[in-house]
Amino acid sequence: MRRQIITLARFTFLEALRTRLFFVYVVGLASIFALTFFIQQVAITEASRIEIAFSAAITRLLAVFLLSLHVITSVVRELDDKGLELTLSFDLRRSDYILGRLLGFVLIAVLVATLAALSQSILAAKGGVLAWGVSLALELVIMAALSLFCIVTFTQLMPAMCFVTGFYIVARALSAIRLISKSPLSGESPSQHVMSWLVDTLALVLPGFDRYAPTAWLADGGAQWSAVGTASVEAAIYTSLLCAAATFDFYRRNV
Amino acid sequence: MSQRNERSWRSVPKSVIAALAIALILETGFQSHQPKTLARAQALHQPPAVSALRLVSLGENIAVAQLMSLYLQAFDNQPGISIPFRELDYGRVSDWLKTILALDPIGQYPLFLASQVYPQVPDPARTRSMFDFVYQEFLADPARRWRWLAHSALAARHRLKDNKLALHYANEIARLAPHAPGWARQMQIFILEDIGEIESAKIMLGALIASGEVRDERELHFLTERLAELESAEKSSTPSKN
């Protein structure tokens, strides 16, 4: 790997430390822990299960939101400060820039997932937490790559963040949408067939996030490492796709 | 984003285009070989505790109650699968409806579901459990909830053929919901008449007319005629067909 890629990744990671991303994240995790403890106190039955389910769901949303926002604002800041022009004036290919930044964001994603898994290990069984943490890391890696692709393509915070949010919601709900589109109650009209075909096509180009880090692994046990393995392959392919798409767009931009 | 800030796609190195194409083919190939998600019927779980729901609703109790109503209503049609009412656990359905009413006591949606939707099940025991739910909730707020008990009384009379239950509900409406319209408060009289309890119907109708509660002249005229019909029917010992 080229030295420049490692350097960019290192500075990307340092930027996350210096902008206090991890501090904010840990404060968020502590708040979630306090909130779920309170919910556990008021629950009449299945208190522990409710505590784990709330905690895991909110932790995942916090991790995805903070990471995506960090990736997008980091690149926006670089664009606004003209740091990008300075960086590209060195002996650096545009693909190296994307790879370096992505590598840094992937490291941040892994650390964010590790902290999430550590917080969950206080509540849930360790075996389930490990598989859940690895699976969450894969989900976050894809989201980091997606955020990088969006900000390279849109160059502005609002459209990039809106796209990332919409993508995440659709990717998490896609299995349910596919099942509903094939429901016997949805009829046999041509428009239903077209909708079903569109949903199936969408499923070919979106990751199935509902298979990543299921809360049931923490609440009920029975984590499946085979599912983690499948998710690893999917994450590798999808991150490569997003990286290639971001590089393609970045090469087309006049800087 | 504007056109002038972009170069032609020919300026992109071929290796990047090749990587993009390969990744896209791999992704679509991977997804097309993934096993399809199968629809599986899920049992209706216990509703969350009311206190927990109040907490997570952030003060929007009505919104959460309405969402829960829609979730419960749609539960028989889970993604990709349709579940007959008879496979639902009606005890849990009652728990959900109670929770929704606890969050939004003024809302009528749960009572509508309990009196009109869930009693459609072809199982008298389950239908009765829904009517009983409506009755228990009616006791908590008769002024707002009488109409759902009236629906239940009619359904008990015609669907369950349980005149005793229908009469009990009608009596309770007359006793506890003085502001309900006349047709609801007079329902007990016509049920009594239907089941051949002419003497009781006559006494109740006479008492209603004498009480002065009915002020509308046409309604009063109708009830007086009805009383006369009952008296003549009693004389001829033939129960009314109405």
Side-chain angles (χ1 to χ4, degrees), chain A residues 97-174:
Chain A
Y97 174 82
I98 295 290
L99 283 173
R101 293 290 269 170
L102 180 61
L103 185 61
F105 292 136
V106 165
L107 289 175
I108 295 167
V110 170
L111 188 54
V112 165
T114 306
L115 290 171
L118 284 175
S119 76
Q120 293 304 308
S121 66
I122 299 168
L123 305 170
K126 302 291 181 288
V129 168
L130 187 59
W132 183 85
V134 173
S135 194
L136 179 67
L138 296 169
E139 182 176 338
L140 292 178
V141 166
I142 293 177
M143 288 308 293
L146 174 77
S147 303
L148 181 61
F149 163 69
C150 285
I151 194 58
V152 165
T153 302
F154 297 119
T155 69
Q156 289 175 16
L157 189 145
M158 201 177 74
M161 201 63 207
C162 287
F163 187 91
V164 167
T165 308
F167 178 99
Y168 187 71
I169 291 169
V170 173
R172 284 214 75 88
L174 196 61

Coordinates of all heavy atoms in Angstrom, one line a residue, chain A residues 97-174:
Chain A
Y97 N -6.3 9.3 -2.6 CA -7.0 10.2 -1.6 C -8.3 9.5 -1.1 O -8.5 9.4 0.1 CB -7.4 11.5 -2.3 CG -8.2 12.4 -1.4 CD1 -7.7 13.2 -0.4 CD2 -9.6 12.4 -1.5 CE1 -8.5 14.0 0.4 CE2 -10.4 13.1 -0.6 CZ -9.9 13.9 0.3 OH -10.6 14.7 1.2
I98 N -9.1 8.9 -2.0 CA -10.3 8.3 -1.6 C -9.9 7.0 -0.7 O -10.6 6.8 0.4 CB -11.1 7.8 -2.8 CG1 -11.6 9.0 -3.6 CG2 -12.3 6.9 -2.4 CD1 -12.7 9.8 -2.9
L99 N -9.0 6.3 -1.1 CA -8.6 5.1 -0.3 C -8.1 5.4 1.0 O -8.4 4.8 2.0 CB -7.5 4.3 -1.1 CG -8.0 3.4 -2.3 CD1 -6.9 2.8 -3.0 CD2 -9.0 2.3 -1.8
G100 N -7.3 6.5 1.1 CA -6.7 6.9 2.4 C -7.8 7.4 3.3 O -7.8 7.0 4.5
R101 N -8.7 8.3 2.8 CA -9.8 8.7 3.7 C -10.7 7.6 4.1 O -11.1 7.5 5.3 CB -10.6 9.8 2.9 CG -9.9 11.1 2.6 CD -9.6 11.9 3.8 NE -10.7 12.8 4.1 CZ -10.9 13.5 5.2 NH1 -10.0 13.4 6.2 NH2 -11.8 14.4 5.3
L102 N -11.0 6.7 3.2 CA -11.9 5.6 3.5 C -11.2 4.7 4.6 O -11.9 4.3 5.5 CB -12.2 4.7 2.2 CG -13.1 3.5 2.5 CD1 -14.4 4.0 3.0 CD2 -13.3 2.7 1.2
L103 N -9.9 4.4 4.4 CA -9.2 3.6 5.4 C -9.3 4.2 6.8 O -9.6 3.5 7.8 CB -7.8 3.4 5.0 CG -7.0 2.4 5.9 CD1 -7.6 1.0 5.9 CD2 -5.5 2.4 5.4
G104 N -9.1 5.5 6.9 CA -9.3 6.2 8.1 C -10.7 6.1 8.7 O -10.9 5.8 9.9
F105 N -11.6 6.3 7.9 CA -13.0 6.2 8.3 C -13.4 4.8 8.7 O -14.2 4.6 9.7 CB -14.0 6.7 7.2 CG -13.9 8.2 7.0 CD1 -13.9 8.7 5.7 CD2 -13.8 9.1 8.0 CE1 -13.8 10.0 5.4 CE2 -13.7 10.5 7.8 CZ -13.7 10.9 6.5
V106 N -12.8 3.8 8.1 CA -13.1 2.4 8.4 C -12.5 2.1 9.8 O -13.2 1.5 10.7 CB -12.5 1.4 7.4 CG1 -12.4 0.0 7.9 CG2 -13.3 1.5 6.1
L107 N -11.3 2.7 10.1 CA -10.7 2.5 11.5 C -11.6 3.1 12.5 O -11.9 2.6 13.6 CB -9.3 3.2 11.5 CG -8.2 2.4 10.7 CD1 -6.9 3.3 10.8 CD2 -8.0 1.1 11.3
I108 N -12.2 4.3 12.2 CA -13.1 5.0 13.1 C -14.3 4.1 13.3 O -14.8 3.9 14.5 CB -13.5 6.4 12.6 CG1 -12.2 7.3 12.5 CG2 -14.5 7.0 13.5 CD1 -12.4 8.6 11.8
A109 N -14.9 3.6 12.3 CA -16.1 2.7 12.3 C -15.8 1.5 13.2 O -16.7 1.2 14.1 CB -16.5 2.3 10.9
V110 N -14.6 0.9 13.1 CA -14.3 -0.3 13.9 C -14.3 0.1 15.4 O -14.8 -0.6 16.2 CB -13.0 -0.9 13.4 CG1 -12.6 -2.0 14.4 CG2 -13.2 -1.5 12.0
L111 N -13.6 1.3 15.7 CA -13.5 1.7 17.1 C -14.9 2.0 17.6 O -15.2 1.7 18.8 CB -12.6 2.9 17.2 CG -12.2 3.4 18.6 CD1 -11.7 2.2 19.4 CD2 -11.3 4.5 18.6
V112 N -15.7 2.7 16.8 CA -17.1 3.0 17.3 C -17.9 1.7 17.6 O -18.6 1.6 18.6 CB -17.8 3.8 16.2 CG1 -19.3 3.9 16.4 CG2 -17.3 5.2 16.1
A113 N -17.8 0.7 16.7 CA -18.5 -0.6 16.9 C -17.9 -1.3 18.2 O -18.6 -1.9 19.0 CB -18.3 -1.5 15.7
T114 N -16.6 -1.2 18.4 CA -16.0 -1.8 19.6 C -16.5 -1.2 20.9 O -16.8 -1.9 21.8 CB -14.4 -1.6 19.5 OG1 -14.0 -2.1 18.3 CG2 -13.8 -2.4 20.6
L115 N -16.6 0.2 20.9 CA -17.1 0.8 22.1 C -18.6 0.4 22.3 O -19.0 0.2 23.4 CB -17.0 2.4 21.9 CG -15.6 2.9 21.9 CD1 -15.6 4.4 21.6 CD2 -15.0 2.8 23.3
A116 N -19.4 0.3 21.2 CA -20.8 -0.1 21.3 C -20.9 -1.5 21.9 O -21.7 -1.8 22.8 CB -21.4 -0.1 19.9
A117 N -20.0 -2.4 21.4 CA -20.0 -3.8 21.9 C -19.6 -3.8 23.4 O -20.2 -4.6 24.2 CB -19.1 -4.6 21.1
L118 N -18.6 -3.0 23.8 CA -18.2 -3.0 25.2 C -19.4 -2.5 26.1 O -19.6 -3.1 27.1 CB -17.0 -2.0 25.4 CG -15.7 -2.6 24.9 CD1 -14.6 -1.5 25.0 CD2 -15.3 -3.8 25.7
S119 N -20.1 -1.5 25.6 CA -21.3 -1.0 26.4 C -22.3 -2.1 26.5 O -23.0 -2.3 27.5 CB -21.8 0.3 25.8 OG -22.6 0.0 24.7
Q120 N -22.5 -2.9 25.4 CA -23.6 -3.9 25.4 C -23.1 -5.1 26.3 O -24.0 -5.8 26.8 CB -23.9 -4.4 24.0 CG -24.5 -3.4 23.1 CD -25.8 -2.9 23.7 OE1 -26.7 -3.6 24.1 NE2 -25.9 -1.5 23.8
S121 N -21.8 -5.3 26.4 CA -21.3 -6.4 27.2 C -21.7 -6.3 28.7 O -21.7 -7.3 29.4 CB -19.8 -6.6 27.0 OG -19.2 -5.5 27.6
I122 N -22.0 -5.1 29.1 CA -22.4 -4.9 30.5 C -23.8 -5.6 30.7 O -24.1 -6.1 31.8 CB -22.5 -3.4 30.9 CG1 -21.2 -2.8 30.7 CG2 -23.1 -3.2 32.3 CD1 -21.2 -1.3 30.7
L123 N -24.6 -5.6 29.7 CA -26.0 -6.0 29.8 C -26.2 -7.5 29.3 O -27.0 -8.2 29.9 CB -27.0 -5.1 29.0 CG -26.9 -3.6 29.3 CD1 -27.7 -2.8 28.3 CD2 -27.5 -3.4 30.7
A124 N -25.6 -7.8 28.2 CA -25.9 -9.1 27.5 C -24.7 -10.1 27.6 O -23.7 -9.8 28.1 CB -26.2 -8.8 26.0
A125 N -25.0 -11.3 27.1 CA -24.0 -12.4 27.2 C -22.9 -12.1 26.2 O -23.1 -11.6 25.2 CB -24.7 -13.7 26.9
K126 N -21.7 -12.5 26.7 CA -20.5 -12.1 25.9 C -20.4 -12.7 24.5 O -20.0 -12.0 23.6 CB -19.2 -12.5 26.7 CG -19.1 -12.0 28.1 CD -18.9 -10.5 28.1 CE -18.8 -9.9 29.5 NZ -20.0 -9.9 30.2
G127 N -20.9 -13.9 24.3 CA -20.8 -14.6 23.0 C -21.6 -13.8 22.0 O -21.2 -13.5 20.9
G128 N -22.8 -13.5 22.4 CA -23.7 -12.7 21.5 C -23.2 -11.3 21.2 O -23.3 -10.8 20.1
V129 N -22.6 -10.7 22.2 CA -22.0 -9.4 22.0 C -20.9 -9.3 21.0 O -20.8 -8.4 20.2 CB -21.5 -8.8 23.4 CG1 -20.7 -7.6 23.2 CG2 -22.7 -8.6 24.3
L130 N -20.1 -10.4 21.0 CA -18.9 -10.4 20.1 C -19.4 -10.4 18.6 O -19.0 -9.6 17.8 CB -18.0 -11.6 20.4 CG -16.7 -11.6 19.6 CD1 -15.9 -10.4 19.9 CD2 -15.9 -12.9 19.9
A131 N -20.3 -11.4 18.4 CA -20.9 -11.5 17.0 C -21.6 -10.2 16.6 O -21.5 -9.7 15.5 CB -21.8 -12.7 16.9
W132 N -22.4 -9.7 17.6 CA -23.2 -8.4 17.3 C -22.2 -7.3 17.0 O -22.4 -6.5 16.1 CB -24.0 -8.1 18.6 CG -24.9 -6.9 18.4 CD1 -26.1 -6.9 17.9 CD2 -24.6 -5.6 18.8 NE1 -26.6 -5.6 17.9 CE2 -25.7 -4.8 18.5 CE3 -23.5 -4.9 19.5 CZ2 -25.8 -3.4 18.8 CZ3 -23.6 -3.6 19.7 CH2 -24.7 -2.8 19.4
G133 N -21.1 -7.2 17.8 CA -20.1 -6.1 17.6 C -19.5 -6.2 16.2 O -19.3 -5.2 15.5
V134 N -19.1 -7.4 15.8 CA -18.4 -7.6 14.5 C -19.4 -7.2 13.4 O -19.1 -6.5 12.4 CB -17.9 -9.0 14.3 CG1 -17.4 -9.3 12.9 CG2 -16.9 -9.4 15.3
S135 N -20.6 -7.7 13.5 CA -21.7 -7.4 12.5 C -22.0 -5.9 12.5 O -22.1 -5.3 11.4 CB -22.9 -8.2 12.9 OG -23.8 -8.2 11.8
L136 N -22.0 -5.2 13.6 CA -22.2 -3.8 13.6 C -21.1 -3.0 13.0 O -21.3 -2.1 12.2 CB -22.4 -3.3 15.1 CG -22.6 -1.8 15.2 CD1 -24.0 -1.4 14.7 CD2 -22.5 -1.3 16.7
A137 N -19.8 -3.5 13.2 CA -18.7 -2.9 12.6 C -18.8 -3.0 11.0 O -18.5 -2.0 10.3 CB -17.4 -3.6 13.0
L138 N -19.3 -4.1 10.5 CA -19.4 -4.2 9.1 C -20.5 -3.3 8.5 O -20.3 -2.6 7.5 CB -19.8 -5.7 8.7 CG -18.8 -6.8 9.1 CD1 -19.4 -8.2 9.0 CD2 -17.6 -6.6 8.2
E139 N -21.6 -3.1 9.3 CA -22.6 -2.2 8.9 C -22.1 -0.7 8.9 O -22.3 0.0 8.0 CB -23.8 -2.3 9.9 CG -25.0 -1.4 9.6 CD -26.1 -1.6 10.6 OE1 -26.2 -2.7 11.2 OE2 -26.9 -0.7 10.8
L140 N -21.3 -0.4 9.9 CA -20.7 0.9 10.0 C -19.7 1.2 8.9 O -19.6 2.3 8.4 CB -20.1 1.2 11.4 CG -21.1 1.2 12.6 CD1 -20.3 1.4 13.9 CD2 -22.1 2.3 12.4
V141 N -18.9 0.2 8.5 CA -18.0 0.3 7.4 C -18.7 0.7 6.1 O -18.3 1.6 5.4 CB -17.1 -1.0 7.3 CG1 -16.4 -1.0 5.9 CG2 -16.2 -1.1 8.4
I142 N -19.8 0.0 5.9 CA -20.6 0.3 4.7 C -21.1 1.8 4.8 O -21.1 2.5 3.8 CB -21.8 -0.7 4.5 CG1 -21.2 -2.1 4.2 CG2 -22.7 -0.2 3.4 CD1 -22.3 -3.1 4.1
M143 N -21.6 2.1 6.0 CA -22.2 3.5 6.1 C -21.1 4.6 6.0 O -21.3 5.6 5.4 CB -22.9 3.6 7.5 CG -24.2 2.9 7.6 SD -25.3 3.2 6.3 CE -25.8 4.9 6.6
A144 N -19.9 4.3 6.4 CA -18.8 5.2 6.3 C -18.5 5.4 4.8 O -18.3 6.5 4.3 CB -17.5 4.7 7.0
A145 N -18.4 4.3 4.0 CA -18.1 4.3 2.6 C -19.2 5.0 1.9 O -19.0 5.8 1.0 CB -18.0 2.9 2.1
L146 N -20.5 4.8 2.3 CA -21.6 5.5 1.7 C -21.6 7.0 1.9 O -21.8 7.8 1.0 CB -22.9 4.9 2.2 CG -24.2 5.6 1.7 CD1 -24.5 5.2 0.3 CD2 -25.4 5.4 2.6
S147 N -21.2 7.4 3.1 CA -21.2 8.8 3.5 C -20.1 9.5 2.7 O -20.3 10.6 2.2 CB -20.9 9.0 5.0 OG -21.9 8.3 5.7
L148 N -18.9 8.8 2.5 CA -17.8 9.3 1.7 C -18.3 9.5 0.3 O -18.1 10.6 -0.4 CB -16.6 8.4 1.8 CG -15.4 8.9 1.1 CD1 -14.9 10.2 1.6 CD2 -14.3 7.9 1.2
F149 N -18.9 8.5 -0.3 CA -19.4 8.5 -1.7 C -20.4 9.7 -1.8 O -20.3 10.5 -2.8 CB -20.1 7.2 -2.0 CG -21.0 7.3 -3.2 CD1 -20.4 7.5 -4.5 CD2 -22.3 7.2 -3.1 CE1 -21.3 7.6 -5.6 CE2 -23.2 7.3 -4.2 CZ -22.6 7.5 -5.5
C150 N -21.3 9.9 -0.9 CA -22.3 10.9 -1.0 C -21.7 12.3 -0.9 O -22.1 13.2 -1.7 CB -23.4 10.8 0.2 SG -24.5 9.4 -0.1
I151 N -20.8 12.5 0.0 CA -20.2 13.9 0.1 C -19.3 14.2 -1.1 O -19.2 15.3 -1.6 CB -19.5 14.1 1.4 CG1 -19.3 15.6 1.7 CG2 -18.3 13.3 1.6 CD1 -20.5 16.5 1.6
V152 N -18.6 13.2 -1.7 CA -17.8 13.4 -2.9 C -18.8 13.7 -4.0 O -18.4 14.6 -4.9 CB -17.0 12.1 -3.2 CG1 -16.4 12.2 -4.6 CG2 -15.8 12.0 -2.1
T153 N -19.9 13.1 -4.1 CA -20.8 13.3 -5.2 C -21.6 14.6 -5.1 O -21.7 15.4 -6.0 CB -21.8 12.1 -5.3 OG1 -21.0 10.9 -5.5 CG2 -22.7 12.2 -6.5
F154 N -22.2 14.8 -3.9 CA -23.1 16.0 -3.7 C -22.3 17.2 -3.3 O -22.8 18.3 -3.4 CB -24.2 15.6 -2.7 CG -25.1 14.5 -3.1 CD1 -25.2 13.4 -2.4 CD2 -25.8 14.6 -4.3 CE1 -26.0 12.3 -2.8 CE2 -26.7 13.6 -4.7 CZ -26.8 12.5 -3.9
T155 N -21.2 17.1 -2.6 CA -20.3 18.2 -2.1 C -21.0 19.1 -1.0 O -20.3 20.0 -0.5 CB -19.8 19.1 -3.2 OG1 -20.8 19.8 -3.8 CG2 -19.1 18.3 -4.3
Q156 N -22.2 18.9 -0.7 CA -22.9 19.7 0.3 C -23.5 18.8 1.4 O -24.0 17.7 1.1 CB -24.0 20.6 -0.4 CG -23.4 21.7 -1.2 CD -24.5 22.5 -1.9 OE1 -25.6 22.4 -1.6 NE2 -24.1 23.2 -3.0
L157 N -23.5 19.4 2.6 CA -23.9 18.6 3.7 C -25.3 18.1 3.7 O -25.6 16.9 3.8 CB -23.7 19.4 5.0 CG -23.8 18.6 6.3 CD1 -22.8 19.2 7.4 CD2 -25.2 18.7 6.9
M158 N -26.3 19.0 3.4 CA -27.7 18.6 3.5 C -28.1 17.5 2.5 O -28.7 16.5 2.9 CB -28.6 19.9 3.3 CG -29.9 19.6 3.9 SD -31.0 21.0 3.8 CE -31.4 21.0 2.1
P159 N -27.8 17.7 1.2 CA -28.2 16.6 0.3 C -27.5 15.2 0.6 O -28.1 14.2 0.6 CB -27.8 17.0 -1.1 CG -27.0 18.2 -0.9 CD -27.2 18.8 0.4
A160 N -26.2 15.4 1.1 CA -25.5 14.1 1.4 C -26.1 13.4 2.6 O -26.4 12.2 2.6 CB -24.0 14.5 1.7
M161 N -26.4 14.2 3.6 CA -27.0 13.6 4.9 C -28.4 13.1 4.6 O -28.7 12.0 5.1 CB -27.0 14.7 6.0 CG -27.1 14.1 7.4 SD -25.6 13.2 7.8 CE -26.3 12.0 9.0
C162 N -29.2 13.8 3.8 CA -30.5 13.3 3.5 C -30.4 12.0 2.7 O -31.2 11.0 3.0 CB -31.3 14.3 2.6 SG -31.8 15.8 3.5
F163 N -29.5 11.9 1.8 CA -29.4 10.6 1.0 C -29.0 9.5 1.9 O -29.5 8.4 1.8 CB -28.3 10.8 -0.1 CG -28.3 9.7 -1.1 CD1 -29.1 9.6 -2.2 CD2 -27.4 8.6 -0.8 CE1 -29.0 8.5 -3.1 CE2 -27.4 7.5 -1.7 CZ -28.2 7.5 -2.8
V164 N -28.0 9.8 2.8 CA -27.5 8.7 3.7 C -28.6 8.2 4.6 O -28.8 7.0 4.8 CB -26.3 9.2 4.5 CG1 -26.0 8.3 5.7 CG2 -25.1 9.4 3.7
T165 N -29.4 9.2 5.1 CA -30.5 8.8 6.0 C -31.6 8.0 5.3 O -32.0 6.9 5.7 CB -31.2 10.1 6.6 OG1 -30.2 10.9 7.1 CG2 -32.2 9.7 7.6
G166 N -31.9 8.4 4.1 CA -32.9 7.7 3.3 C -32.4 6.3 2.9 O -33.2 5.3 3.0
F167 N -31.2 6.2 2.5 CA -30.6 4.9 2.1 C -30.6 4.0 3.3 O -31.0 2.8 3.2 CB -29.1 5.2 1.7 CG -28.3 4.0 1.4 CD1 -28.2 3.6 0.1 CD2 -27.8 3.2 2.4 CE1 -27.4 2.5 -0.3 CE2 -27.0 2.0 2.0 CZ -26.9 1.7 0.7
Y168 N -30.3 4.5 4.5 CA -30.2 3.6 5.7 C -31.6 3.1 6.0 O -31.8 1.9 6.3 CB -29.6 4.4 6.9 CG -29.4 3.5 8.1 CD1 -28.4 2.6 8.0 CD2 -30.2 3.6 9.2 CE1 -28.1 1.7 9.1 CE2 -30.0 2.8 10.3 CZ -28.9 1.8 10.2 OH -28.7 1.0 11.3
I169 N -32.6 4.0 6.0 CA -34.0 3.6 6.3 C -34.5 2.5 5.3 O -35.0 1.5 5.7 CB -34.9 4.8 6.3 CG1 -34.6 5.7 7.5 CG2 -36.4 4.4 6.4 CD1 -35.3 7.1 7.5
V170 N -34.2 2.8 4.0 CA -34.7 1.8 3.0 C -34.0 0.5 3.2 O -34.6 -0.6 3.1 CB -34.5 2.4 1.6 CG1 -34.9 1.3 0.5 CG2 -35.5 3.6 1.4
A171 N -32.6 0.5 3.4 CA -31.8 -0.7 3.5 C -32.3 -1.5 4.7 O -32.3 -2.8 4.6 CB -30.4 -0.4 3.6
R172 N -32.6 -0.9 5.8 CA -33.1 -1.6 7.0 C -34.5 -2.2 6.8 O -34.8 -3.3 7.3 CB -33.1 -0.7 8.2 CG -31.7 -0.5 8.7 CD -31.7 -0.4 10.3 NE -31.9 -1.7 10.9 CZ -30.9 -2.5 11.2 NH1 -29.6 -2.1 11.0 NH2 -31.1 -3.6 11.8
A173 N -35.3 -1.5 6.0 CA -36.7 -2.0 5.8 C -36.9 -2.8 4.6 O -38.0 -3.2 4.3 CB -37.6 -0.7 5.8
L174 N -35.8 -3.1 3.8 CA -36.0 -3.6 2.5 C -36.7 -5.0 2.5 O -37.6 -5.3 1.7 CB -34.7 -3.7 1.8 CG -34.8 -3.9 0.3 CD1 -35.6 -2.8 -0.4 CD2 -33.4 -4.0 -0.4

